[in-house]
Amino acid sequence: MKVLGIESSCDETAAAVVGAEGLLSDIIHSQTVHEQYGGVVPEVASRAHAENIVATCRAALAGAGIVRPDAVAATSGPGLLGAVLVGHCFAKASAIAWGVPFIGINHLEGHLLAPLLDAPDLEWPWISLLVSGGHTTLYLAEGLGKYRVLGETIDDAAGEAFDKVARVCGLGYPGGPAIEALARHGDAGRFSLPRPLRGQLNLSFSGLKTAVIQLAAREPDANKADIAAAFQDAVVDVLVSRVVRAAAETGVRRVTIGGGVAANTALREALRQTDLELYLPPRARCTDNAAMIALAGRLRLLAGESSALDLTARARWTPSELLPP
Ligand code: KG4
Ligand code: ZN
């Protein structure tokens, strides 16, 4: 069964085909139009998705050497609602036209399952750290559709903190890769920043973000690379300590990561310093992509599930909730 997956929840218009043999094609069109605004403008994102979705899906089908998939999966949330709706409705319409099943996928479940694209033998259960622009959550994934939240941020997402600190350092959007590049030339020990932890396995990034903003205001002549390095060091420390603790508390040593911040080299290297059993997807499968949506759709369909055609798109949706009927 070859499944066309479509992703349009933020600023990537993406389509991919996954079959029994694995990933057959993987097309990502990253919208650059938002750079001039310093962040993703929802309305602009929706229009750009509408412009690009047909060509992106055609390229994915051509890359897989097929003219018609056996099913169509799409991100049905969470995300920018107008953006999600483009891919979600396009997938439904295509499924009707082709007479094949449609399946609406939770974007977060896509990130949770993405490691299986490169490690198909990965066995349940595993701990998953999802760190993106909108989410910072630690999950225990016990089986398909069985995801338990172990901890999450009580305020900002880690990616959001990267983006805000990037702005303070005079860098553009997206901030994460820019901070990572700048931090390479900085001395992380030059400034000491807080490493806030909350409760059992929860996290918090707003205090750290405020500390960086205050530091930049207090020391306007400070080397921005040192600030970037100190900030990145603090985020990595906090994330790694939570993962290590989650593994100790659950007794589950297999760990995967996903979401844009999971592409961060310092985070990946710090995780490699632990004695955990790591499954780190390649960077391109940590950031938003459609391969993970096609894979999640295929696994759900193989489990006998599909979605009704009146399934609505959702701006908010945690993966611990079941798929709507
Ligand atoms: O998962 P994602 O592509 O989109 C969603 O938010 O769903 O994540 C985007 C976030 C942005 O905040 C971006 O700054 C951050 O991931 N990011 C990074 C890196 N690459 C992307 N943060 C730190 N280091 C990176 N290399
Ligand atoms: Zn994402």
Side-chain angles (χ1 to χ4, degrees), residues 48-318:
H49 285 308
E51 277 167 22
N52 293 312
I53 194 132
V54 174
T56 305
C57 289
R58 280 208 175 121
L61 292 173
I66 58 173
V67 289
R68 195 191 84 150
D70 301 304
V72 187
T75 295
S76 294
L80 304 171
L81 194 56
V84 173
L85 275 167
V86 176
H88 169 87
C89 292
F90 184 83
K92 283 204 235 179
S94 308
I96 293 169
W98 281 318
V100 300
F102 159 73
I103 183 140
I105 293 297
N106 184 316
H107 179 88
L108 299 172
E109 183 177 36
H111 278 305
L112 270 169
L113 299 176
L116 289 169
L117 287 160
D118 296 280
D121 298 329
L122 172 61
E123 283 177 23
W124 313 101
W126 68 74
I127 285 171
S128 184
L129 173 69
L130 290 199
V131 267
S132 70
H135 298 89
T136 299
T137 312
L138 258 174
Y139 292 97
L140 177 63
E142 296 173 299
L144 187 67
K146 291 195 196 130
Y147 315 119
R148 192 147 60 84
V149 174
L150 297 174
E152 61 192 326
T153 180
I154 57 161
D155 40 57
D156 294 357
E160 203 180 338
F162 267 98
D163 294 335
K164 286 184 186 157
V165 167
R167 220 170 296 156
V168 170
C169 292
L171 306 168
Y173 179 89
I179 291 277
E180 176 174 347
L182 185 61
R184 246 174 246 136
H185 310 289
D187 171 10
R190 172 79 183 72
F191 299 108
S192 115
L193 290 168
R195 278 142 171 78
L197 300 175
R198 289 287 180 279
Q200 283 292 304
L201 283 169
N202 286 340
L203 303 108
S204 161
F205 290 103
S206 90
L208 173 59
K209 175 194 68 189
T210 306
V212 174
I213 293 169
Q214 287 171 346
L215 168 65
R218 203 170 55 238
E219 306 210 23
D221 298 327
N223 182 354
K224 294 285 187 287
D226 292 343
I227 295 181
F231 164 74
Q232 180 175 265
D233 219 47
V235 174
V236 168
D237 259 10
V238 167
L239 292 175
V240 173
S241 81
R242 299 273 91 168
V243 171
V244 168
R245 182 165 177 174
E249 284 189 7
T250 58
V252 173
R253 308 204 53 75
R254 276 186 291 269
V255 171
T256 80
I257 56 177
V261 183
N264 185 276
T265 306
L267 174 62
R268 298 166 77 95
E269 278 174 4
L271 284 167
R272 285 199 189 99
Q273 301 303 313
T274 68
D275 59 357
L276 297 166
E277 202 184 317
L278 292 176
Y279 294 85
L280 304 185
R283 283 178 178 73
R285 283 197 255 297
C286 290
T287 48
D288 286 349
N289 65 86
M292 65 186 194
I293 303 303
L295 172 80
R298 189 168 185 280
L299 295 177
R300 289 279 185 179
L301 285 152
L302 289 174
E305 294 175 36
S306 66
S307 301
L309 286 169
D310 60 357
L311 177 72
T312 53
R314 300 172 61 167
R316 295 180 172 275
W317 186 9
T318 67

